[in-house]
């Protein structure tokens, strides 16, 4: 009984996304050098899971406005999803040059560098992120991971405890609590 309404909702949602895509295509025909139109078209392509087309739309945004932060972030995110982490990192470095206080760009760079095993580089971005948002639990969680990777258990424990005591998302609190318990157990042995 519940399958039919769910399928109908999914079909309606897909139809809405296709209509949005068609509307953006018409808008671009009317405004061929409008970066916002290409940005919205990229988002519409993403909504229907057409990553290559979305990537090309974001490239067009950047050809029109090379310093478009939303375009750069969207382009980088598509690259990341396609497994092109190093190319995405280049985009985020450019974002940081254009907008040094962009917290999301710094957090991305921390995660990317940690994923590649560049702990010291991750630390550089994490300390900047901490200056930008001292109360952000994501920053403290990442600092905890960095200190853990560097073998600095007491500092990692402090950061994970800060996250657990915060009002962060439940998932990040769970991971921080798991790490905190693991570190506490190792310190007590």
């Amino acid at each position: 009984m519940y399958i039919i309404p769910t399928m109908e909702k999914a079909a309606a949602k897909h139809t809405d996304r296709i209509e949005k895509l068609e509307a953006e295509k018409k808008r671009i025909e009317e405004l061929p050098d409008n970066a916002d139109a290409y940005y919205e078209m990229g988002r519409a392509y993403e909504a229907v899971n057409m990553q290559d087309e979305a990537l090309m739309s974001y490239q067009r945004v950047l050809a029109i406005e090379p310093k478009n932060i939303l375009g750069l972030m969207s382009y980088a995110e598509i690259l990341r999803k396609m497994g092109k982490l190093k190319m995405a990192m280049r985009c985020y470095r450019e974002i940081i040059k254009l907008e040094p206080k962009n917290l999301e760009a710094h957090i991305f760079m921390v995660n990317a560098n940690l994923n590649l095993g560049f702990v010291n580089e991750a630390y550089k971005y994490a300390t900047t992120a901490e200056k930008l948002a001292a109360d952000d639990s994501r920053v403290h969680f990442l600092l905890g991971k960095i200190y853990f990777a560097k073998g600095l258990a007491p500092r990692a424990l402090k950061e994970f405890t800060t996250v657990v005591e915060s009002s962060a998302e439940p998932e990040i609190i769970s991971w921080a609590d798991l790490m905190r318990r693991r570190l506490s157990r190792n310190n007590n042995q």
Side-chain angles (χ1 to χ4, degrees):
M1 287 184 217
Y2 295 103
I3 295 173
I4 303 286
T6 303
M7 289 174 57
E8 288 173 357
K9 284 181 184 178
K13 194 173 189 179
H14 184 72
T15 301
D16 290 346
R17 290 175 177 168
I18 296 295
E19 288 173 2
K20 168 84 170 146
L21 184 58
E22 293 305 319
E24 292 307 327
K25 285 179 181 179
K26 282 184 181 178
R27 187 172 166 210
I28 285 173
E29 287 174 12
E30 295 167 9
L31 305 164
D33 289 329
N34 185 310
D36 290 337
Y38 279 100
Y39 175 76
E40 290 302 324
M41 188 151 132
R43 291 179 48 85
Y45 276 129
E46 281 190 82
V48 293
N49 204 26
M50 296 175 74
Q51 304 301 326
D52 291 333
E53 290 81 358
L55 190 69
M56 287 188 292
S57 292
Y58 296 137
Q59 286 173 335
R60 186 72 180 126
V61 169
L62 298 173
I64 296 167
E65 292 180 11
K67 295 180 180 183
N68 186 308
I69 300 295
L70 283 177
L72 269 169
M73 288 184 94
S74 298
Y75 183 66
E77 186 58 20
I78 293 285
L79 289 170
R80 183 194 64 78
K81 287 177 184 176
M82 296 174 115
K84 299 177 180 179
L85 183 60
K86 289 186 179 183
M87 287 177 66
M89 289 173 73
R90 276 187 254 164
C91 292
Y92 276 102
R93 277 193 289 272
E94 184 64 24
I95 292 166
I96 291 169
K97 283 180 194 172
L98 296 170
E99 202 175 86
K101 293 183 178 182
N102 188 310
L103 179 62
E104 297 308 314
H106 285 282
I107 287 175
F108 176 88
M109 290 301 292
V110 174
N111 277 311
N113 279 293
L114 279 173
N115 287 340
L116 294 172
F118 302 135
V119 178
N120 291 333
E121 193 69 12
Y123 180 72
K124 179 181 94 171
Y125 287 103
T127 55
T128 302
E130 185 179 32
K131 290 174 190 169
L132 295 173
D135 295 332
D136 192 305
S137 56
R138 297 173 301 167
V139 174
H140 290 287
F141 182 73
L142 291 169
L143 281 167
K145 287 174 69 174
I146 290 166
Y147 292 139
F148 182 77
K150 288 179 165 252
L152 302 170
R155 289 180 82 176
L157 183 59
K158 178 181 173 258
E159 296 297 340
F160 290 132
T161 300
T162 300
V163 174
V164 170
E165 294 171 353
S166 74
S167 58
E169 296 174 21
E171 184 178 350
I172 195 170
I173 290 174
S174 296
W175 279 108
D177 191 42
L178 177 70
M179 291 302 295
R180 186 178 71 153
R181 283 186 273 134
R182 180 178 174 189
L183 287 166
S184 295
R185 192 173 337 126
N186 289 345
N187 286 343
N188 291 333
Q189 291 178 352

